[in-house]
Amino acid sequence: MGRAEEILPAATAAAPAHGDAIATEQAVKAVKAGNANEVDIAAQIIANYVEDMGDGSWTPEEEKKLMRKVDWWLIPILFVCATLSGLDKTAISAAAIYDIKKDLGLSGPQYSWVGSAPFFGGLAFMGPSAYCLQKLPAVKFFAFNVLCWGILECCMAACTDFASLFVCRFLLGGFEALLIPAVTLVVSMWYRPEEQPRRNSIILNVIAPILNGFIAWAVGYHKGSFATWKIIFILLGCVTILWSIVVYFFLPDNPLETKRLTPREKYIIIQRKAADNTGVEAKTIKKEQIWEAFLDLKTWLIWIAIVALQVPNGGLTTFNTLIISGLGFSPLQTALLAMPPGAMSTLSGLALSYLASTTRKWRTLMIAVSILLPLLGAILCYSLPRTNLAGQLIGLYILYTYWAPYVTLVSVYQANVAGHTKKVVLYAWFYIAWAVGNIIGPQTFREEQAPAYTGGTVAMIVTYVVAIVAILAYGALCHFSNQKRKEVIESSVAGEQDWLDLTDKENRAFKYTT
């Protein structure tokens, strides 16, 4: 992959005026020489359609219309998938205010383990899932996983004790493990780095607590003999099963294989992504890219940052309704008061992602500064007396802005990882970090500390500080790498490296987002 400045001079603009900047001749040669399996699928698209493209140019208006078409096609499907995944995981907190703990005889520690169970499942399934994501049609495999997690959500309504609920939640997390890696991969296939933050913030939304609170409030009016918490699981499970059909038939595997784009539109999609040097997709597993991924210090800094940011998520997802009810509110009041945190997370994520999309230079600094807000919320919850209900609720709501730095961090590593095998491996590895943080989170909330849950609050304060340090260190490493490559980035000639499925380290003209 050649350097950004030469491949696409107008790469930072909303719509480049022409697409002939990439050296298409090299892509055609690579495919015709029998190296199609070794190069990115983008090279195959270029080889297949370059003769039909004439001078390879397109207008800004044509590109804008095409990307609007892609947005209205991809984003809603992925948005609903992420929302359903969030609802499936957080449904346990809604069930908690309708006596699931009493009906199943769950002790405090058992409820904490039930909260962590999906993330243990994610750890167990992530390796096989990542392999299948590399070797199988990504979206078809993803649709199968969506179907399975819908079935398991329904099965939770039939649970009668801790063991059965833990197993269902464990398997649920296993099949949901693919969500974040799959979404991250799809977005990186179709969008340029400056376009990714806004899409990520919409797709990886946190409106689940809003919907979860509304559903919990609505079913609270049920007065029949059938347990209210069972209705929540069955309702969400059935909706998820139906949505898996939509995913299977309407979400494309990649730009090459979709039938909803013309050859010209496929060509434009690929050529406009040339400048970011991250590629689209390749099916050959390259062991050298796996080794590179794990020997890179930047990998571990991101991993630590994700763990640190997800410890609060794991605790709050499982215990938020218990925290609120512990302030003296009824089940119906608790359900309603559990809705604003979702709005805080979603709006803060949209705002920070919009700001981050304006530049590729200061994203890590923006993320680090944004963590100060949930840190303030944790300090308020820790320091204010429990009798100060307004102050405690404000602190809790501010805490939920933690999602903004996480979802913006996703756009940073999306932009900074190249090589398809490396991307799949790291997206899976970063999911494991996400799971580890969510496993740790519920364990910091101890029943004997209820309703204040001091241990959980202190854990959040510590992890936010750790996340700030890790993210700033990552940004500094990326900056120093760019400085070392500066001369190559500015003078490199595009050629045989275009679309050859090289990693960010192998391609010395690759420029990191800092």
Side-chain angles (χ1 to χ4, degrees):
M1 303 175 211
R3 66 182 176 88
E5 290 84 355
E6 182 156 355
I7 292 176
L8 200 59
T12 57
H18 53 79
D20 57 346
I22 187 174
T24 55
E25 183 181 348
Q26 283 74 19
V28 175
K29 285 181 179 179
V31 175
K32 291 185 176 179
N35 296 324
N37 291 332
E38 297 297 324
V39 300
D40 196 281
I41 65 160
Q44 300 175 44
I45 293 177
I46 294 169
N48 290 342
Y49 303 128
V50 66
E51 293 180 1
D52 300 329
M53 284 295 294
D55 63 358
S57 64
W58 63 85
T59 64
E61 291 74 20
E62 184 180 9
E63 181 179 350
K64 186 176 181 180
K65 181 180 179 181
L66 171 59
M67 295 317 298
R68 190 183 300 116
K69 173 182 176 180
V70 172
D71 279 338
W72 282 106
W73 171 25
L74 297 183
I75 304 302
I77 297 175
L78 296 174
F79 170 86
V80 174
C81 286
T83 301
L84 288 172
S85 176
L87 282 169
D88 291 345
K89 285 192 180 75
T90 58
I92 191 69
S93 65
I97 60 178
Y98 292 115
D99 295 329
I100 188 174
K101 291 177 69 177
K102 178 183 176 182
D103 292 351
L104 272 57
L106 302 178
S107 66
Q110 285 177 330
Y111 181 72
S112 293
W113 285 113
V114 165
S116 297
F119 309 104
F120 281 112
L123 290 177
F125 279 59
M126 194 65 256
S129 294
Y131 177 82
C132 292
L133 190 63
Q134 172 83 19
K135 301 298 289 184
L136 301 176
V139 170
K140 302 300 182 288
F141 180 62
F142 179 52
F144 169 74
N145 280 261
V146 176
L147 172 65
C148 289
W149 89 52
I151 293 172
L152 285 161
E153 186 75 16
C154 290
C155 289
M156 282 193 277
C159 294
T160 56
D161 54 21
F162 166 71
S164 57
L165 183 61
F166 184 90
V167 170
C168 281
R169 295 268 295 170
F170 177 90
L171 294 174
L172 173 73
F175 287 109
E176 287 186 346
L178 199 64
L179 174 72
I180 292 179
V183 166
T184 308
L185 194 62
V186 170
V187 171
S188 67
M189 279 184 189
W190 291 82
Y191 297 101
R192 296 198 301 250
E194 64 271 20
E195 299 168 336
Q196 292 165 5
R198 298 185 193 183
R199 273 75 178 184
N200 288 335
S201 65
I202 294 172
I203 296 168
L204 299 175
N205 67 89
V206 198
I207 69 165
I210 302 175
L211 297 176
N212 191 39
F214 176 77
I215 292 169
W217 171 76
V219 300
Y221 288 96
H222 167 70
K223 302 300 180 183
S225 59
F226 192 74
T228 302
W229 59 266
K230 293 184 178 183
I231 297 175
I232 296 172
F233 290 139
I234 292 173
L235 174 63
L236 294 178
C238 290
V239 173
T240 304
I241 289 170
L242 292 174
W243 193 252
S244 69
I245 299 172
V246 175
V247 175
Y248 184 88
F249 286 105
F250 293 100
L251 193 64
D253 285 310
N254 56 55
L256 175 64
E257 297 176 14
T258 180
K259 296 179 180 179
R260 298 189 66 175
L261 295 179
T262 65
R264 178 179 178 82
E265 289 173 330
K266 293 178 182 180
Y267 185 90
I268 294 172
I269 289 286
I270 294 307
Q271 288 285 34
R272 69 188 296 278
K273 263 189 60 63
D276 63 43
N277 290 334
T278 57
V280 177
E281 184 180 38
K283 289 300 182 184
T284 301
I285 295 177
K286 298 181 178 179
K287 293 181 180 179
E288 66 276 11
Q289 292 192 12
I290 299 175
W291 283 109
E292 179 184 311
F294 288 110
L295 293 176
D296 190 343
L297 178 59
K298 295 193 295 295
T299 294
W300 296 98
L301 290 172
I302 289 286
W303 200 88
I304 292 169
I306 292 174
V307 171
L309 288 173
Q310 291 307 309
V311 168
N313 182 59
L316 292 172
T317 297
T318 307
F319 284 88
N320 69 323
T321 55
L322 296 180
I323 294 170
I324 295 172
S325 63
L327 293 172
F329 296 102
S330 70
L332 285 176
Q333 289 172 327
T334 297
L336 291 174
L337 290 170
M339 296 170 68
M344 290 293 293
S345 293
T346 300
L347 294 175
S348 63
L350 289 170
L352 184 60
S353 295
Y354 179 86
L355 186 63
S357 68
T358 62
T359 179
R360 293 185 64 179
K361 258 186 148 181
W362 307 106
R363 283 191 199 175
T364 52
L365 181 60
M366 292 178 192
I367 293 169
V369 171
S370 72
I371 297 174
L372 296 176
L373 196 54
L375 178 59
L376 171 63
I379 293 172
L380 287 176
C381 288
Y382 178 78
S383 58
L384 292 176
R386 299 289 297 173
T387 53
N388 188 341
L389 297 184
Q392 285 287 335
L393 280 175
I394 289 172
L396 180 63
Y397 292 165
I398 292 175
L399 262 173
Y400 275 85
T401 59
Y402 75 88
W403 191 252
Y406 169 70
V407 76
T408 309
L409 185 62
V410 171
S411 73
V412 172
Y413 69 71
Q414 272 178 326
N416 284 351
V417 179
H420 191 71
T421 298
K422 185 177 181 180
K423 282 194 287 188
V424 171
V425 168
L426 285 187
Y427 293 169
W429 184 235
F430 294 150
Y431 171 83
I432 290 174
W434 185 82
V436 168
N438 280 280
I439 287 171
I440 295 171
Q443 307 309 316
T444 64
F445 286 73
R446 312 305 300 174
E447 184 179 32
E448 62 270 16
Q449 296 176 343
Y453 295 109
T454 306
T457 307
V458 171
M460 286 189 278
I461 293 172
V462 172
T463 53
Y464 286 140
V465 173
V466 170
I468 289 172
V469 173
I471 290 167
L472 289 176
Y474 175 85
L477 277 180
C478 290
H479 173 73
F480 292 141
S481 295
N482 287 343
Q483 290 300 107
K484 290 180 181 179
R485 299 172 175 212
K486 187 175 181 180
E487 188 175 333
V488 180
I489 292 172
E490 293 176 351
S491 62
S492 180
V493 178
E496 69 277 359
Q497 293 186 9
D498 291 333
W499 303 118
L500 291 183
D501 192 32
L502 299 180
T503 68
D504 48 281
K505 277 198 167 185
E506 290 172 334
N507 180 8
R508 298 297 297 172
F510 187 96
K511 187 174 183 179
Y512 290 102
T513 293
T514 58

